[in-house]
Amino acid sequence: MSELSSYLASVATTIDRMIDRYFVDKSGELNKASAHLLAAGGKRLRPAVVMLAADAVKPGSSDELLHAALALEVTHTFTLIHDDIMDDDSLRRGVPTVHTRWDMPTGILAGDVLYSRAFEHICRANAKDEAKVRAVTMLAKACADICEGQHMDMSFEHRTDVTEPEYMEMVRMKTGVLYAAAAGIGAVLAGGNAVQVRALYNFGLNTGIAFQIQDDLIDLLTPSEKSGKDQASDLREGKQTLLMIRAREKGLDLKKYQKVLTPGDINAAIKELTDAGVIDEVKGIASGLVADSNKHLSVLPASKERQLLMDLGDYFVTRSH
């Protein structure tokens, strides 16, 4: 994993420099609002997927596609800004959310600006025009799916009977499709054939779903000081995650945890879910998705980049924050 860590750090440095150049250094209040969350940091995982997919198809091609890698980070940030508005969150990445720092109309417009500029940056990639049209189409479809997934997630707030297939479909659209688009766009712009593009798209989709399942586990299991988030907030809010769905199917009553939770309450919930086998089952589902995703990569020639993609999938389901 050390090689993956150094690779991700290198990608983050590159993307951060591009963010400074193309977003932070622009004047005007709306531009400042648009750049606010982009400049607040982040792991830059989606750009890394674009670049690794491109180099797995055509070694060295990622240098020509940095604008496309940036486009995926910009798209991700647009969704975060709008999510924060819908959830009325006040903090993200340790800074005030955009609509809190400015106001709600500015937050909406800032997200819209990033959405638009993502497509501009894909078109600035050094690739064939036909490939760029396919990449833009892929990103546009992903954005529409993300909106539908977010709407599904919101509808779950008023239900206590969400099924596992419904949850998996919501996560596929809300989180999986953007990782799928990242891998698919990298492959398309690097000149990959139909088999390679499909394989990398499916890799991104499966690992993206696993990423979200792991996020749900982190919410419960990782202390706030390590995760930077409010521990067990999903449990407190009664959110319909895979953990909660599996617990309900086993007859566990988690409604008693829908209150202000003490560390003791959280530990009790973790013990209850562990003893019932729920946590291991959910971890197994995430790990199984990653294992399946790695099978898709067998169509690619062996390379350092292919191995790093596999390592990235493993990282998605072993990270603790």
Side-chain angles (χ1 to χ4, degrees):
M1 282 292 184
S2 59
E3 188 169 0
L4 177 64
S5 297
S6 62
Y7 179 83
L8 292 176
S10 173
V11 169
T13 297
T14 298
I15 296 300
D16 287 349
R17 286 174 180 160
M18 294 184 77
I19 288 169
D20 286 344
R21 178 178 178 183
Y22 295 105
F23 291 89
V24 174
D25 289 344
K26 284 186 168 288
S27 59
E29 205 61 23
L30 182 57
N31 283 324
K32 289 179 183 177
S34 300
H36 175 68
L37 198 55
L38 266 177
K43 298 183 182 73
R44 316 305 189 198
L45 297 174
R46 292 155 191 82
V49 171
V50 175
M51 295 167 68
L52 284 172
D55 285 336
V57 167
K58 182 183 177 184
S61 60
S62 64
D63 287 345
E64 303 294 314
L65 309 178
L66 292 177
H67 280 281
L70 175 62
L72 268 293
E73 186 66 21
V74 172
T75 301
H76 173 55
T77 307
F78 129 69
T79 68
L80 297 182
I81 291 174
H82 283 184
D83 277 359
D84 288 341
I85 292 170
M86 285 180 268
D87 295 340
D88 197 23
D89 286 334
S90 59
L91 280 176
R92 169 79 71 172
R93 292 176 176 168
V95 298
T97 50
V98 176
H99 72 282
T100 304
R101 170 68 176 77
W102 281 268
D103 52 45
M104 192 175 296
T106 302
I108 293 169
L109 290 172
D112 291 346
V113 167
L114 295 185
Y115 171 80
S116 303
R117 294 194 66 192
F119 291 97
E120 173 192 345
H121 280 282
I122 278 204
C123 293
R124 295 178 72 168
N126 188 7
K128 292 181 179 179
D129 286 347
E130 180 185 351
K132 286 194 276 191
V133 169
R134 290 175 65 197
V136 165
T137 302
M138 200 177 290
L139 184 59
K141 185 180 186 309
C143 288
D145 283 346
I146 290 167
C147 293
E148 191 169 345
Q150 173 67 4
H151 190 264
M152 279 186 74
D153 195 19
M154 291 165 58
S155 74
F156 290 173
E157 294 174 6
H158 310 291
R159 294 175 53 192
T160 56
D161 61 346
V162 175
T163 65
E164 189 167 318
E166 285 179 310
Y167 168 86
M168 296 297 281
E169 177 64 5
M170 180 273 290
V171 171
R172 181 189 72 81
M173 290 193 292
K174 186 174 178 180
T175 306
V177 295
L178 195 56
Y179 277 110
I185 286 168
V188 163
L189 294 177
N193 60 41
V195 172
Q196 292 171 324
V197 172
R198 188 180 309 112
L200 281 158
Y201 184 93
N202 287 331
F203 165 84
L205 188 64
N206 280 349
T207 54
I209 295 170
F211 182 93
Q212 183 59 54
I213 293 173
Q214 182 66 17
D215 252 12
D216 295 344
L217 287 162
I218 289 169
D219 179 87
L220 176 66
L221 301 175
T222 304
S224 299
E225 57 269 21
K226 186 171 183 180
S227 70
K229 300 175 183 178
D230 182 15
Q231 187 179 3
S233 62
D234 290 347
L235 181 67
R236 186 185 68 245
E237 295 164 11
K239 193 168 183 180
Q240 297 292 294
T241 64
L242 189 54
L243 280 166
M244 307 311 166
I245 293 168
R246 285 284 173 123
R248 188 179 72 235
E249 290 173 350
K250 290 179 179 290
L252 300 185
D253 181 12
L254 301 181
K255 290 181 181 177
K256 59 180 174 287
Y257 297 112
Q258 292 179 29
K259 61 177 184 177
V260 176
L261 296 173
T262 66
D265 292 330
I266 295 171
N267 289 335
I270 292 171
K271 185 178 187 306
E272 190 173 351
L273 290 166
T274 300
D275 290 347
V278 172
I279 289 175
D280 282 344
E281 286 179 17
V282 172
K283 285 181 177 179
I285 291 169
S287 297
L289 284 163
V290 169
D292 286 343
S293 73
N294 287 344
K295 294 176 185 175
H296 290 293
L297 299 184
S298 63
V299 304
L300 298 168
S303 66
K304 179 181 76 173
E305 288 75 21
R306 189 182 77 169
Q307 185 58 53
L308 283 171
L309 281 169
M310 292 180 178
D311 292 344
L312 188 61
D314 290 336
Y315 165 70
F316 279 4
V317 295
T318 56
R319 65 198 168 88
S320 59
H321 63 279

